[in-house]
Amino acid sequence: MSFQHILYSVDSGVALLSLNRPKSLNSFNEAMHLEVREAFKQIKSDKQVRVLVLTGEGRGFCAGQDLSDRNVDPTADAPDLGISIEKFYNPLIKAIQALPMPVICAVNGVAAGAGANLPLACDLIIAARSAKFIQAFCKIGLIPDSGGTWFLPRLVGMAKAKEMALLGEPVSADAALEMGLVNRVVDDELLRQEALTLAQHLATQPTKGLAYIKRALNQTFDHGLEEQLLLERDLQRLAGQTQDYREGVAAFMAKRTPEFKGE
Amino acid sequence: MSNSLYSMLDVHSPANGVQQIQLHRPEALNALTTAMLGELALALDEAEANESVKVVVLTGSARVFAAGADVKEMAERDMVGILKDPRQQSWQSISRFPKPLIAAINGYCLGGGCELAMHADILIAGTDAKFGQPEINLGIMPGAGGTQRLVRAVGKSLAMQMVLTGQPINALQAKEAGLISEITQPELTLTRAMEVASQIAKKSPLALRLAKESILKGMETDLSTGLRFERHAFTVLAGTKDREEGIAAFLEKRPAKFTGQ
């Protein structure tokens, strides 16, 4: 399948998925959703891929839902917005969280609506200095979807989460860094390279182990300590069975650099 | 070690009293054909007769436990055909299996697959498991206990919703509703089931058999009949060597060595 609304490439273990509808600030229409879904299918079946970088083409990262793709005629019957959430946004958020490898989001510009929450589902976020995070939903009578109401309070605390969600004011990349919403901020022209450098490093790491770390951390908010300890036991059991663990220990003992295969 | 008697099952010789039976029809998502059910019934009959088997763990693949009955096969049967359905006999064999049966479930566990899983005494499932009775979508309904065992496991409202909409539930919902006893990480489902099975395999086979029967009896009768059955079974165990051994070992603070006598 060739893509029209996204760019997808794989190089040295790093998959780069770039939203590519720059004229519409990379907002999601159905066709783009379907292509992203197809790309995820490829990532999952491609044994070479050990890291995913998610970014956008042009000046914006993603403006969320393409409103021209929705029934917004105020005189018509009320649309059921739950359908596209059920069909596309929720599965995408779950797919990012379930992907057994680190996902880096390189937020290259405006991230609004679902586009502001998509990065929050990723494991690491690097933002361009000009990027802005806008929980724009409240401005048109909606609520933050795509996990927004779940991720925000967990990342920045309830006070800031409510402020962002109720006021919908743009949050600059520096402010986002300050409040712990993103991991790093870099100059715009350096963003892509910075994300790829980080991805290339991660692509040499024990991918399975990283996937287990991600799984443990993603489940932590659903668990009490007791359950989380059990989960840690189980995931450590699995991690101990990986080739990379053996290699890691062997390399440590021999004082050499480990060569992880991701297996 | 696999037993080559079976073409759609991998049957492993018992290790520590635990026999593993794996449904193996990867090309058809382990859809339960009549032949496969027949093989399973036969394998359980053999496991029943084999004294070195104390417990059986039934499992599928990483992606699917069993995705249902074989629809093509079903389509070929008319009313008379279904009345004479040979599957019925296999189901009865499976439900009569007297030793503890544990199902280790990953992925899809639908229709006949869900009904099969519910024949197990203990269900352990991976976080990715999906349980459902989608028969209604085909204009039919569950025909091997799906309307009976499910309602006893999860209660009326959820059972009705599952059977009438055909929509599956996930592992978490299944755990909350009481359909399964434990959720594990998918890669560890079988390991955990084997672990529980080996614990059980160390107990007295006679006590296991009567305890299982007592619980199942209780599910299909009124409380006072169930209590009476339990008391009789309890009394029967009083005549076994294993009971002497079990109590003696407890008092002497040593592990018991049960012989099944």
Side-chain angles (χ1 to χ4, degrees):
Chain A
M1 181 173 169
S2 67
F3 297 121
Q4 290 176 3
H5 305 292
I6 63 170
L7 301 175
Y8 177 71
S9 60
V10 178
D11 182 22
S12 314
V14 177
L16 180 64
L17 195 174
S18 193
L19 306 176
N20 188 24
R21 297 181 71 229
K23 283 180 192 152
S24 323
L25 285 174
N26 299 323
S27 60
F28 273 98
N29 58 14
E30 187 159 330
M32 189 163 94
H33 272 300
L34 290 171
E35 292 191 2
V36 169
R37 180 177 290 182
E38 174 60 27
F40 266 77
K41 216 187 265 177
Q42 290 186 21
I43 293 164
K44 273 190 273 186
S45 63
D46 185 347
K47 293 258 187 295
Q48 303 292 314
V49 177
R50 293 167 67 179
V51 182
L52 168 63
V53 177
L54 193 60
T55 189
E57 295 298 310
R59 64 192 176 89
F61 168 67
C62 174
Q65 172 68 29
D66 187 339
L67 292 178
S68 66
D69 206 44
R70 262 187 185 164
N71 170 18
V72 285
D73 176 357
T75 61
D77 288 344
D80 182 351
L81 302 185
I83 292 175
S84 73
I85 289 184
E86 179 86 13
K87 202 164 156 194
F88 295 119
Y89 289 101
N90 287 357
L92 175 57
I93 297 300
K94 287 197 244 181
I96 293 172
Q97 294 252 305
L99 207 62
M101 65 187 75
V103 180
I104 300 170
C105 192
V107 184
N108 53 299
V110 168
N117 294 331
L118 201 56
L120 309 186
C122 300
D123 304 307
L124 294 165
I125 311 175
I126 308 182
R129 203 164 304 278
S130 72
K132 284 185 172 48
F133 295 84
I134 314 170
Q135 295 292 331
F137 302 91
C138 58
K139 304 277 192 188
I140 55 170
L142 298 181
I143 72 152
D145 59 24
S146 302
T149 63
W150 195 86
F151 291 117
L152 274 178
R154 285 168 168 81
L155 289 167
V156 301
M158 191 58 88
K160 280 287 171 196
K162 285 200 172 149
E163 187 180 328
M164 285 180 75
L166 292 171
L167 298 178
E169 287 169 355
V171 170
S172 71
D174 286 322
L177 181 66
E178 180 82 10
M179 64 171 86
L181 195 65
V182 306
N183 299 92
R184 297 179 192 179
V185 175
V186 297
D187 289 338
D188 289 20
E189 61 278 15
L190 298 178
L191 177 76
R192 184 71 68 102
Q193 193 47 54
E194 175 86 5
L196 287 175
T197 304
L198 185 60
Q200 278 147 13
H201 161 70
L202 285 170
T204 65
Q205 296 303 296
T207 307
K208 271 201 170 175
L210 300 184
Y212 295 142
I213 293 173
K214 167 174 171 168
R215 212 199 284 182
L217 289 172
N218 282 347
Q219 292 188 44
T220 193
F221 295 118
D222 303 330
H223 285 171
L225 176 61
E226 195 68 31
E227 281 169 295
Q228 192 68 12
L229 287 171
L230 289 175
L231 178 66
E232 284 180 3
R233 178 201 62 192
D234 290 349
L235 292 176
Q236 200 72 294
R237 229 177 222 175
L238 293 170
Q241 292 168 6
T242 61
Q243 292 295 324
D244 282 344
Y245 168 62
R246 284 166 182 267
E247 166 62 10
V249 174
F252 179 80
M253 302 296 254
K255 298 185 180 161
R256 61 172 173 81
T257 312
E259 279 182 45
F260 297 118
K261 302 260 188 316
E263 289 160 12
Chain B
M1 200 180 75
S2 281
N3 188 328
S4 56
L5 263 180
Y6 304 102
S7 62
M8 288 167 268
L9 303 177
D10 279 334
V11 180
H12 302 267
S13 294
N16 301 321
V18 183
Q19 182 164 70
Q20 212 186 91
I21 301 180
Q22 187 180 12
L23 305 173
H24 190 69
R25 264 190 91 215
E27 71 283 5
L29 295 174
N30 287 341
L32 300 168
T33 56
T34 303
M36 192 182 194
L37 264 189
E39 284 197 0
L40 182 59
L42 187 62
L44 289 174
D45 283 346
E46 286 198 343
E48 180 182 350
N50 185 345
E51 279 202 14
S52 60
V53 176
K54 313 288 183 202
V55 184
V56 169
V57 170
L58 179 63
T59 191
S61 70
R63 259 185 71 213
V64 56
F65 178 75
D70 190 299
V71 178
K72 279 184 212 136
E73 208 185 73
M74 199 172 1
E76 289 161 5
R77 268 192 208 113
D78 58 8
M79 193 156 91
V80 175
I82 286 182
L83 206 60
K84 297 177 179 167
D85 195 345
R87 300 168 69 86
Q88 226 17 53
Q89 212 169 356
S90 299
W91 282 119
Q92 277 169 19
S93 281
I94 296 165
S95 68
R96 273 200 307 262
F97 182 63
K99 297 176 182 178
L101 179 64
I102 300 178
I105 300 151
N106 279 328
Y108 295 108
C109 184
L110 304 175
C114 188
E115 290 171 308
L116 174 60
M118 288 191 291
H119 277 72
D121 302 309
I122 298 171
L123 288 74
I124 293 175
T127 48
D128 64 335
K130 286 214 173 357
F131 299 87
Q133 300 289 162
E135 288 88 344
I136 203 81
N137 297 328
L138 305 181
I140 54 172
M141 58 176 279
T147 67
Q148 302 301 305
R149 289 191 179 87
L150 187 63
V151 73
R152 283 162 173 78
V154 307
K156 176 186 136 187
S157 182
L158 183 55
M160 283 282 189
Q161 190 171 332
M162 288 171 70
V163 171
L164 302 186
T165 67
Q167 280 294 309
I169 58 172
N170 63 29
L172 195 62
Q173 291 169 295
K175 171 75 166 57
E176 279 173 0
L179 181 61
I180 63 176
S181 63
E182 274 191 36
I183 303 182
T184 63
Q185 296 302 301
E187 303 93 325
L188 289 173
T189 310
L190 186 56
T191 309
R192 178 62 187 147
M194 291 298 287
E195 205 174 358
V196 173
S198 348
Q199 278 175 29
I200 293 174
K202 293 193 189 101
K203 319 294 181 193
S204 160
L206 300 167
L208 288 174
R209 181 183 176 141
L210 285 172
K212 166 170 173 168
E213 205 178 340
S214 191
I215 289 175
L216 291 180
K217 181 67 80 183
M219 289 178 72
E220 59 184 41
T221 187
D222 61 278
L223 180 62
S224 63
T225 311
L227 288 170
R228 211 160 55 236
F229 183 91
E230 181 192 77
R231 200 64 207 168
H232 288 322
F234 187 78
T235 311
V236 167
L237 286 180
T240 65
K241 287 214 178 85
D242 275 354
R243 176 178 180 268
E244 276 173 44
E245 164 63 10
I247 292 175
F250 177 80
L251 293 174
E252 293 160 25
K253 298 182 180 164
R254 59 170 175 83
K257 278 192 203 134
F258 296 115
T259 57
Q261 299 295 309

